[in-house]
Amino acid sequence: MPAPYIPQIRLYQQWLNTHRGLSFGSYDQLWQWSVTDLDAFWQSIWDYFELQSPTPHRAVLTNRTMPGARWFDGAQFNYARQVFRHVDAAHAAGFPALISHNEKTLANGGVRELSWPALRQQVASLALHLQAQGLQPGDRVAAYLPNIPEAMVAFLAVVSLGGVWSICAPDMGTQAVLDRFKQIEPKILIGCDGVTYGGRDFDRREVIAELHAALPSVQHVLLYRNLDANQSTAPYADFSTATARDDEQTRTFEPVWLPFEHPLWIVYSSGTTGLPKPIVHGHGGTVVVALALKTLHNDIGCSYQPNSWGERYHWYSSTGWVMWNAQMSGLLNGTTCCIFDGNPGGTKDKPDWATLWRFAAELGVTFFGAGAAFFANCLKAGVGFTALPGLKTVRALGTTGSPLSAEAQNWGTEQFRTLRATQSGDTRAVKGRPEQATTPSAGRELHEENDRGGDIWWCNISGGTDFAGAFIGGNRELPLVPGEMQCRLLGCAVYAWDDNGDPVTDQVGELVCTEPLPSMPLYFWGDEGNKRYLSSYFDMYPGVWRHGDWLKIGANGGCIIYGRSDATINRHGLRMGTSELYSAVESLPEVLDSMVVDLEYLGRDSYMPLFVVLREGQVLDDAMRSRINNAIKTALSPRFVPNDIFQVAEVPRTLTGKKQELPIKKLLLGQPIDKVVNRDAMANPGCLDWYVAFAQKRQASAPA
């Protein structure tokens, strides 16, 4: 008998009615309460998830300011303790904690499962090892590990002792890693011998040696043999040996109680200039927000609860993206997490965008998440699901990282329609393309149809590394409109503000948050006087968080992110985010990728070049230019037709996949490349040479 999967947010509202006597006629009323009575809302989250502390908190919120808010003052907490609460019940129900694959095991078999008791044993063993090396609360531990179970074991071991965790992905070079780790002066370094990506093995032992040599604060190094289990780890300690201890001390080990706001981890923003910002989040605030987001809005349930029995949660990510942290947070609520390490698009010689779908089908994933660019690539590659009947377990799709186009969302919806219709023998469901809800009433009708067992539910979210959460996201009880996110999240006082700082509806404005959240940064590491922290979020509106995105909130509550507010297009007085133009251009099958910048500056006339990556064999001739311009005219307006179109080999992107519009804009306005972009924070720095040459040529031909 399949689990009923009653929406988690409905269960929470039923709890509010039973335990608080609160009833709301609409989601908007519930949201208004959550951002007005902050104390009552966040206390309800504490109580609903039955969070524990050996000492009571004196108040939910002290100092209702940003920055400076204090949450649950007096309470004690530990992230690892919340995870370990689920060990016995989840294991008794027969569910593992982690299931993992990499490129080699997916191709050749050999899936790895880590049980909940084994997770606790390995964490305890490693924690005792780290304790013996002198790790104290507040000491930093730096990790250079891929998305494997060992990374999560290491994290839990570090934070169980009150150590402060920080991780970089092994696809990052030595200097990029040092730009981060040097700032935090780690006491212990945990690394791996190498990684496999795109069908190739990459040895990382030399990088580990370089990091060790350049980090004088490091007193102990652990090495995990990820590529070759038979090679020696000398001169470093062996990670596998450090996690193998199983005795009375490991069985009785318990994570230490810590102040609610004790530092948990340090994550980094991919700044375009200067060193990356080392952002510190706390134990308690991170957990409280993660539970509210993951459970109520992403609708990811506990695997051993009858309503979500057998839940298996996957969100593809590298360890260099905060979605790795989000994937791991499934453990906080007793959810089995399914992780994949490798290239989701196959190899360079044999592209294969069905890789992750095969992974999900084999493991019986129920919630499948990835960056929006992944779904766009699947659409372009023509991926189909009919050969993957195991995908029938997937009940929800999650996206983030960049705006998801309606076209990509409709593609995914149609694929699951086709899969389900094929399995049921009902061919009526696959005739034509899926409907698009263009109005609130139409969206509600489609939602009601879907809730009767029809289309797949999409959970499109937008938030950030900055506060380890989301501002905007999903709600299974609301209409689903392709290309939109369903609502502002509970507890998030998010608005779109115009140039005067007034909230607007059905207009594009600055995304701001006017009330504090428990997971907002405690501070930036080493940031004297909070100078960088204040300038990053509060320089435009003192006391109000400015996130740096263009947002439109519809009259029905649906939300659209239009890209970064500092990379906006302003043509002839009409302001538009870049995502709409990308949606129009990249709907053409010949266009694989695109980037646009608007060089309007200090009253000059707007000059807007468009850069496009074309499918192999395609050439940017007059006919192709005409097709691109017509697509923009049709989808947007003739006002947004670019001044020029250029064919390029690649669009520059950050390590997390974001298009680097602002750095290229600054470059074309005359700033030197080294001042506007951090090459080590890029996924493809080699493509910059073309843009530098283009900028130089343009400047040489500009009138004096």
Side-chain angles (χ1 to χ4, degrees), residues 41 60-61 93 148 170 199 220 225-226 298 309 379 437 588 591 595:
F41 170 69
V60 174
L61 175 59
I148 54 178
H220 184 64
R225 293 170 290 183
N226 189 48
N298 293 5
W309 186 262
L379 165 65
L588 298 173
V591 180
M595 182 180 69

Side-chain angles (χ1 to χ4, degrees), residues 274-286:
L275 292 174
K277 296 186 286 285
I279 303 170
V280 184
H281 298 128
H283 273 252
T286 299

Side-chain angles (χ1 to χ4, degrees), residues 83-106:
V83 171
F84 288 169
R85 288 178 61 185
H86 303 286
V87 169
D88 294 337
H91 185 61
F95 298 119
L98 299 172
I99 310 176
S100 65
H101 255 315
N102 58 35
E103 291 182 9
K104 293 177 180 177
T105 59
L106 185 61

